[in-house]
Amino acid sequence: MNTFKLKYAPHFGTFASAGSDLIDQIKYSADLGFTAFEDNAFSGVPMPNLMGIGMLGQTPEYLDKIGKTLSDLNMEMGTFVMGPVNWPPNAAFTSGKEEFRNIFLDKCRQAVEVGKRLNGKYVTVVPDAADPTLPYEIQTANVLESLKRAAEIFEPHGMVMLLEPLSFPPQVYLKTSAQCYLLAKAVNSPACKILFDLFHLQQNEGHLQRNIDLVWDEIGYFQIGDVPQRFEPGTGEINHEIVFKHIYQKSLATGKNFIFGMEHYNSVAGIAGEQAMLEAYQKLDNTLN
């Protein structure tokens, strides 16, 4: 079995050869040495090659089974996706309309119950689309009001909503780490942190090491995906060895212990692709010192 220095988190579908049952995929990942697991789908909207319909779409009994399996295997539940209020995204958050805000807050309450069953603390939140009819500052104020109310829901349960900037579709509101930083600082709660997604942020802003340093104190989670094809490390333009050595050394110096979600596809189909992906992570992890 592998021993990884970092908590890399496969998702449902990473090891499809283990079978269609999510429980079997978790067990298979544990056998390979992974100590965390995440889910990238959201309820009702399956993502290509990312199995399942999201944790909010599972039955309470199945969520309990997943949570127990992770606990028995000494694995940590990574993030799961709460999903936007509307998809494709419209200006639900940014509009400030109370009807949309109430939908969002209801989903936050659902996410708390899901998190309890999974023994998980992280949930991915996407603030939908920009509203071109409103000044940017007004949109930001509207988003902040929703996030502050959400933090009041999550914080008593020790849960963390992770703000994820996206590189697509083009109408999304949240696109940069600096935006996330401003929001997290303004919410001022341990329940609101940044999901620093290397795939999206390499496309939107680049300068990954510098921007990691700038927003470091508000980062709660990382996700991985090379650019441009969103495959495993080493298949695109990101120099993961340099970036991850920087994160690893900075983590040791500051006492932080992140989960690194493997939110990408495999560059090669089938078992051969799973092996190539596994070898990419072994190679990456072996460079850390």
Side-chain angles (χ1 to χ4, degrees):
M1 186 176 75
N2 305 300
T3 301
F4 292 112
K5 298 182 183 73
L6 297 180
K7 292 188 289 187
Y8 306 108
H11 56 77
F12 296 117
T14 298
F15 296 108
S17 65
S20 59
D21 192 313
L22 308 186
I23 302 298
D24 290 337
Q25 294 186 34
I26 293 172
K27 292 178 179 177
Y28 187 80
S29 299
D31 288 341
L32 292 174
F34 292 100
T35 56
F37 210 89
E38 69 174 21
D39 183 52
N40 307 124
F42 53 85
S43 183
V45 188
M47 292 179 66
N49 201 37
L50 304 184
M51 299 172 67
I53 57 171
M55 293 296 96
L56 268 67
Q58 306 295 342
T59 66
E61 295 77 16
Y62 200 58
L63 291 170
D64 289 342
K65 189 175 181 181
I66 292 173
K68 185 177 185 305
T69 301
L70 290 167
S71 178
D72 290 346
L73 295 170
N74 198 29
M75 296 181 77
E76 188 172 349
M77 180 66 198
T79 194
F80 61 94
V81 181
M82 194 170 76
V85 174
N86 291 278
W87 194 266
N90 65 21
F93 270 64
T94 51
S95 70
K97 292 180 179 178
E98 200 67 20
E99 61 187 284
F100 291 131
R101 182 171 289 148
N102 289 335
I103 294 172
F104 167 65
L105 296 176
D106 283 342
K107 294 184 78 170
C108 291
R109 296 182 187 98
Q110 294 175 43
V112 167
E113 296 307 311
V114 170
K116 288 178 180 178
R117 293 183 180 278
L118 294 172
N119 298 315
K121 63 181 288 188
Y122 299 106
V123 57
T124 301
V125 172
V126 177
D128 298 339
D131 187 338
T133 70
L134 294 175
Y136 174 78
E137 294 81 1
I138 300 299
Q139 297 181 63
T140 299
N142 290 336
V143 172
L144 270 173
E145 181 61 28
S146 293
L147 294 178
K148 285 180 178 179
R149 294 197 198 179
E152 293 173 354
I153 294 171
F154 286 122
E155 189 171 337
H157 303 281
M159 289 190 67
V160 182
M161 58 177 165
L162 299 168
L163 306 179
E164 181 178 21
L166 300 177
S167 54
F168 60 83
Q171 69 266 35
V172 295
Y173 163 79
L174 194 57
K175 294 185 177 183
T176 71
S177 59
Q179 276 181 290
C180 292
Y181 190 75
L182 184 152
L183 292 170
K185 283 293 185 187
V187 173
N188 191 29
S189 166
C192 183
K193 295 296 175 183
I194 299 170
L195 195 170
F196 200 101
D197 186 303
L198 300 179
F199 170 75
H200 290 302
L201 291 176
Q202 170 66 8
Q203 295 175 85
N204 288 354
E205 61 187 24
H207 301 288
L208 293 176
Q209 284 181 242
R210 178 177 185 270
N211 288 320
I212 286 169
D213 287 347
L214 287 174
V215 305
W216 179 261
D217 60 310
E218 295 294 340
I219 296 175
Y221 199 100
F222 285 92
Q223 282 185 328
I224 307 164
D226 216 334
V227 176
Q229 294 177 299
R230 206 172 193 174
F231 293 146
E232 68 270 13
T235 57
E237 68 187 38
I238 299 176
N239 191 325
H240 285 83
E241 293 184 7
I242 290 177
V243 173
F244 268 70
K245 186 173 291 187
H246 182 71
I247 296 170
Y248 181 65
Q249 292 173 345
K250 198 171 182 70
S251 297
L252 292 177
T254 58
K256 289 200 169 189
N257 188 18
F258 297 104
I259 293 176
F260 295 82
M262 298 159 57
E263 195 189 23
H264 56 74
Y265 311 107
N266 296 340
S267 60
V268 179
I271 295 178
E274 293 178 10
Q275 182 60 36
M277 180 273 299
L278 182 61
E279 290 173 359
Y281 276 92
Q282 290 170 336
K283 178 182 178 183
L284 174 63
D285 203 72
N286 287 337
T287 66
L288 302 177
N289 54 55

